[in-house]
């Protein structure tokens, strides 16, 4: 697992289709991580790329490729989690196929994130244990688990890649 230099604050990068410059903002002061990690707060990625539910998708595929992410949390104006767009969801929407297989109007650069996002997202809390989070992700076949505060303010995300990095780091340490 790589060392993180973002231990004190959780910046959120807001993707904007109208500009190549991403806006940075701080969502919360979070406790430092510990080793070995035991809670979601210890493992979660704290620097996030998000999109507002009212923002057009723009060139989301290029953003995903550029920043190498597969899950895009969707937040409201207050930074609260309202949905999630996976790379698969986005590609299906671009092709005009809904998750159930029915035909829909294909998404385009002007389509709002709220039209493509998956609602009812499973999420975790900072104090949730890693074994519980792993169990939920396996059972629900999730590639990521957004991490929120009690008021649903998004503060992090844990992905299957984070768990693989953790397993590798633990194996290396013997």
């Amino acid at each position: 697992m790589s060392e993180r230099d973002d231990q004190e604050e959780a910046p959120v990068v807001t993707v904007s289709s109208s500009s190549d410059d991403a806006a940075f903002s701080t969502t919360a002061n979070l406790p430092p991580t510990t080793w070995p990690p035991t809670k979601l707060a210890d493992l979660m990625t704290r620097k996030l790329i998000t999109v507002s539910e009212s923002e057009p998708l723009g060139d989301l595929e290029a953003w995903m490729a550029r920043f190498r992410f597969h899950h895009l949390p969707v937040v409201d104006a207050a930074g609260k989690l309202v949905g999630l767009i996976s790379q698969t969801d986005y590609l299906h929407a671009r092709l005009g196929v809904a998750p159930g297989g029915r035909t829909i109007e294909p998404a385009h650069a002007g389509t709002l994130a709220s039209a493509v996002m998956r609602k009812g997202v499973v999420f975790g809390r900072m104090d949730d244990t890693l074994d519980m989070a792993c169990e939920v992700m396996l059972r629900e076949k999730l590639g990521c688990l957004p991490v929120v505060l009690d008021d649903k303010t998004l503060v992090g995300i844990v992905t299957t890649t984070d768990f693989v990095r953790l397993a590798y780091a633990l194996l290396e340490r013997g």
Side-chain angles (χ1 to χ4, degrees):
M1 193 162 117
S2 62
E3 294 297 318
R4 300 184 191 265
D5 60 346
D6 54 342
Q7 305 297 314
E8 295 174 14
E9 297 183 3
V12 173
V13 179
T14 304
V15 174
S16 173
S17 61
S18 60
S19 162
D20 282 342
D21 298 324
F24 290 85
S25 63
T26 300
T27 58
N29 289 325
L30 302 174
T33 61
T34 60
W35 184 261
T38 59
K39 307 236 182 251
L40 283 178
D42 301 330
L43 187 63
M44 70 184 188
T45 299
R46 296 169 182 230
K47 289 184 179 179
L48 303 174
I49 297 175
T50 66
V51 66
S52 166
E53 62 186 331
S54 60
E55 185 76 24
L57 294 174
D59 196 4
L60 180 57
E61 191 171 3
W63 278 89
M64 287 182 157
R66 179 178 175 190
F67 292 106
R68 299 182 58 185
F69 64 88
H70 302 279
H71 307 93
L72 181 65
V74 181
V75 296
D76 64 14
K80 299 188 186 328
L81 181 68
V82 294
L84 184 75
I85 301 172
S86 72
Q87 189 172 34
T88 302
D89 295 334
Y90 174 73
L91 293 174
H92 276 111
R94 291 282 298 180
L95 292 171
V97 179
R102 67 182 165 80
T103 303
I104 58 172
E105 183 177 332
H108 51 82
T111 301
L112 299 183
S114 60
V116 175
M117 73 181 189
R118 188 177 296 237
K119 298 174 185 162
V121 177
V122 177
F123 57 85
R125 309 263 186 207
M126 289 180 30
D127 287 335
D128 289 345
T129 62
L130 292 182
D131 60 329
M132 184 194 74
C134 206
E135 179 185 332
V136 168
M137 289 176 73
L138 285 169
R139 183 181 65 238
E140 300 296 325
K141 298 181 179 170
L142 303 174
C144 75
L145 192 64
V147 182
V148 300
L149 300 176
D150 288 338
D151 66 354
K152 284 202 167 180
T153 298
L154 181 68
V155 293
I157 194 167
V158 174
T159 67
T160 53
T161 301
D162 294 322
F163 279 106
V164 170
R165 282 189 188 122
L166 173 60
Y168 181 69
L170 292 171
L171 289 169
E172 275 192 320
R173 291 180 185 224

